[in-house]
Amino acid sequence: MGDFFKRIGEFFSSNLSKLNQTQKIIIFSVIGVIVISLIIIIAFSSKPDKTLLFQKPLSPEDYAKVTKALQDINADFSTKDDKYIIVKDQKTAQTLRMKLGQQGIIPNNVTGWELFDTQKWTTTDFERDVNLKRAIKGEIERQLKLLDGVEECYLNIAWPKESLFTNTAQEITASLTIIPKPYSNILENRKQIEGIKKLVAFGIPGLKEENVVITDPSGNIVSDFSSMDNTAYLEIVKQQLQIKERERVKIEQRIRDQLQKIIGKNKIDIQLDIDIRFDQVQSEANKIIPVVIKPDNPNTPYDDSVIVPNVTISEQTIQKEYKGPQTIPEGPPGTEPNVPPGYKELLPSSVVVNENQQTKNYEVSTEKVISSLTPYQINKVSCSVMVDGKWEIEIDSKGNLVVDKSKLGYKRKYTPLSNDEIKKIEEVVKGAIGYDKARGDIVTVQNIPFNHESEFAAEDAIIKRKDLLRKALITSFASILVFLLIIVLYRVISAEVQRRKKLKEEELLRKQQELREKALRAAEKEGIEVELSMEEKARLEMQENAINVAREHPEEVAKLIRTWLAEDVS
């Protein structure tokens, strides 16, 4: 660990030694500022958070009474702007408010739940009820002032007397006046006004939303939206048109993306119209379904399920048997029976009657289905697609592009799409729109040549520019080759001329040397002394040395001669 700090100290000392005096002053100044800032931040953050004794500014009379009472009880406090009283923490604030309440010193602008922080020992139930209503009113006003766009608000609540009978009881009513902030449109926003009405109604027990009236500073009622029904209807129509346009663009883009992968860009034109039904439909149906006694086993190759249309829940069987004398039909008492003579004698004297009755109660399985459609449904789609054919630049027999002199461009040949291709495109369009024949969808695809004059002109310009560039490159390449060939020929010819010139000079020098040697030998034979110059004596000496070396070391001399020949050739 000591070595680590030692290395750090050596690192800083070595780097500081490289800095000049100005740089050292700047670095130590920055470090000092950072240290002082940290000390100040720690000092202030360690202080306890101070709080206001009363959140609202006090009037001069309340300010004087409260400060005097706090001085009498030796409370530690400070003031700000002669309107606010500051204590050291929230707990101290609650204690002081309780002591002030016991002395009956309550500021007039305290209207929220702070009223119950300063309860006096002699407070009656009536006063508590009044304070509760004031607290509810004050808290709602405070909550409304927290909303964006509300500068000030005033709430009045009419609390009727309680009645023992509900039919004679009066309802609670409330009126709210809102002063908006500058450039705020809160009084024109229906959703915000309705939200404020709900906020007031839910915050007061027993208050109904329809009994809340909201006005602007001029007294105009802004919570009555009966005159805005037509505007709301137009807004709904506008939203429906936006939904229709969004769906149309989405389907059209889907078709365009699919066709551009097949045909290419700028070769299709789509006209799409959709009919959307915005009716919200909800249906309910009771379906009778069969009862599955045994489900199908997926491991078997056959269907072994047992399904019955209903299930027997109860069954009753009654069997009766009667044995006794035969009942003989008689007429009313006191009258002669209307029976032919001898009929009674023909009837059997006894009879046996059997009665069998069986009752079964079945239960069928039902399913209750409640279905509701989406907020809107596509009722019909009509789509017309115009497709361009194939355009190809004409090429002559020599492989050159054919130029159209009338348009100063290249001639192009148009090839329409085949019927199979049109059919495939139609199938792609049907798949993209979710074609439904029962819905009455219409899809038409037409092959029509498009006007591409501007595109062809730009394409011709690119082709011409590429052709000019190709020709320029070929010409430049040929010129470079010719230039290199000329340089090579020049070097070869120059080398040959130099070689021949050198050979000629060597031949001339050789002949001169031979003539001089002949002259010397002739002079020697005749006994004539010839005085040689220093250069000639040196040359003769070098010749004799070379001859002696060649005789003693013939291989080294041969290598040296080959080296000279190779240098001359190069």
Side-chain angles (χ1 to χ4, degrees), residues 273-450:
D273 183 57
I274 57 176
D275 181 17
I276 296 181
R277 184 175 67 252
F278 291 94
D279 300 334
Q280 295 185 3
V281 180
Q282 185 174 1
S283 60
E284 182 178 343
N286 290 324
K287 295 182 178 181
I288 299 176
I289 59 176
V291 180
V292 179
I293 303 299
K294 178 184 177 183
D296 181 28
N297 187 2
N299 297 323
T300 58
Y302 54 88
D303 186 5
D304 59 350
S305 62
V306 179
I307 301 176
V308 296
N310 48 45
V311 178
T312 303
I313 59 173
S314 62
E315 184 176 356
Q316 183 181 13
T317 302
I318 300 175
Q319 295 181 353
K320 294 181 180 180
E321 183 177 357
Y322 173 75
K323 293 181 179 180
Q326 174 67 31
T327 302
I328 300 173
E330 298 286 346
T335 60
E336 289 291 334
N338 190 13
V339 178
Y343 179 73
K344 293 182 178 181
E345 289 77 9
L346 295 177
L347 292 175
S349 59
S350 63
V351 66
V352 177
V353 179
N354 292 321
E355 181 182 355
N356 295 325
Q357 182 179 357
Q358 186 177 12
T359 303
K360 289 185 178 182
N361 295 321
Y362 296 97
E363 181 71 22
V364 295
S365 179
T366 61
E367 181 182 12
K368 187 176 182 180
V369 179
I370 299 176
S371 59
S372 58
L373 300 179
T374 58
Y376 60 90
Q377 303 86 35
I378 297 178
N379 195 30
K380 181 180 178 182
V381 179
S382 301
C383 181
S384 174
V385 180
M386 292 180 289
V387 185
D388 193 12
K390 301 177 182 178
W391 295 88
E392 297 179 351
I393 300 177
E394 296 184 5
I395 302 175
D396 58 12
S397 58
K398 297 181 180 180
N400 298 324
L401 303 179
V402 179
V403 179
D404 188 357
K405 297 181 180 179
S406 61
K407 297 182 180 180
L408 299 177
Y410 298 106
K411 285 187 178 181
R412 286 173 171 79
K413 180 182 178 182
Y414 175 76
T415 305
L417 300 178
S418 63
N419 292 331
D420 292 339
E421 291 175 329
I422 296 294
K423 189 67 176 176
K424 291 179 181 178
I425 293 173
E426 184 177 349
E427 293 298 328
V428 170
V429 175
K430 287 182 178 179
I433 68 173
Y435 178 80
D436 187 359
K437 186 176 181 181
R439 194 171 58 184
D441 294 347
I442 300 173
V443 175
T444 58
V445 179
Q446 297 293 332
N447 187 197
I448 300 174
F450 287 12

Side-chain angles (χ1 to χ4, degrees), residues 20 89 99 156 228 250 291 299 406 479 552 557:
N20 54 29
D89 54 21
K99 291 181 179 180
N156 291 320
M228 298 178 64
K250 183 172 68 175
V291 180
N299 297 323
S406 61
S479 302
E552 295 175 357
V557 173

Side-chain angles (χ1 to χ4, degrees), residues 183-241:
Y183 309 107
S184 174
N185 64 341
I186 188 171
L187 298 179
E188 301 173 0
N189 193 318
R190 180 171 180 174
K191 291 184 177 180
Q192 288 183 308
I193 295 298
E194 290 179 346
I196 291 174
K197 287 183 65 176
K198 292 181 181 295
L199 189 147
V200 174
F202 293 162
I204 301 174
L207 179 61
K208 297 181 180 179
E209 186 178 344
E210 59 267 17
N211 293 333
V212 179
V213 177
I214 302 176
T215 64
D216 60 6
S218 301
N220 299 317
I221 297 177
V222 297
S223 59
D224 186 7
F225 301 109
S226 59
S227 60
M228 298 178 64
D229 291 340
N230 294 331
T231 304
Y233 175 75
L234 294 176
E235 185 68 22
I236 292 173
V237 173
K238 182 179 178 181
Q239 293 178 0
Q240 291 177 353
L241 293 176

Side-chain angles (χ1 to χ4, degrees), residues 513-556:
Q513 184 66 23
E514 288 179 355
L515 292 175
R516 191 169 183 81
E517 290 178 356
K518 287 180 180 179
L520 291 174
R521 286 194 293 268
E524 288 178 357
K525 289 180 180 180
E526 293 177 359
I528 301 173
E529 293 183 2
V530 180
E531 185 176 356
L532 300 176
S533 62
M534 295 298 292
E535 294 179 355
E536 291 175 346
K537 290 180 180 180
R539 188 180 297 112
L540 289 175
E541 186 177 357
M542 289 178 63
Q543 260 183 340
E544 290 177 359
N545 293 333
I547 291 170
N548 294 329
V549 170
R551 287 174 181 173
E552 295 175 357
H553 305 284
E555 294 179 357
E556 284 77 0

Side-chain angles (χ1 to χ4, degrees), residues 32-180:
V33 170
I34 294 173
V35 172
I36 293 171
S37 301
L38 291 175
I39 293 172
I40 293 173
I41 292 172
I42 293 172
F44 277 97
S45 61
S46 61
K47 293 182 179 180
D49 295 334
K50 293 187 177 182
T51 184
L52 295 176
L53 182 61
F54 298 102
Q55 300 299 323
K56 291 186 177 181
L58 302 178
S59 63
E61 295 80 6
D62 293 334
Y63 177 80
K65 290 191 297 183
V66 172
T67 54
K68 186 178 183 304
L70 293 176
Q71 290 173 357
D72 293 340
I73 61 177
N74 296 323
D76 184 12
F77 69 95
S78 60
T79 60
K80 179 182 178 182
D81 300 335
D82 293 336
K83 294 180 181 179
Y84 298 97
I85 298 174
I86 303 173
V87 295
K88 64 178 182 179
D89 54 21
Q90 189 67 32
K91 184 177 181 180
T92 304
Q94 293 177 355
T95 304
L96 293 177
R97 283 197 295 268
M98 181 63 68
K99 291 181 179 180
L100 292 174
Q102 293 174 359
Q103 298 178 12
I105 302 174
I106 301 175
N108 294 325
N109 59 352
V110 176
T111 57
W113 298 115
E114 296 93 339
L115 290 170
F116 296 95
D117 295 336
T118 57
Q119 290 292 322
K120 294 184 292 185
W121 297 105
T122 59
T123 303
T124 62
D125 292 340
F126 176 77
E127 290 176 340
R128 290 193 182 94
D129 184 59
V130 172
N131 288 338
L132 174 62
K133 295 176 180 179
R134 288 176 60 195
I136 292 174
K137 174 179 176 296
E139 288 298 323
I140 293 176
E141 289 180 346
R142 183 180 300 174
Q143 187 175 5
L144 292 175
K145 291 176 185 178
L146 297 176
L147 300 177
D148 293 337
V150 177
E151 179 74 23
E152 190 62 62
C153 65
Y154 301 97
L155 176 64
N156 291 320
I157 307 171
W159 305 88
K161 292 183 179 181
E162 296 182 358
S163 176
L164 296 176
F165 304 100
T166 57
N167 56 353
T168 59
Q170 297 180 356
E171 295 181 348
I172 302 174
T173 58
S175 63
L176 175 65
T177 301
I178 296 177
I179 300 176

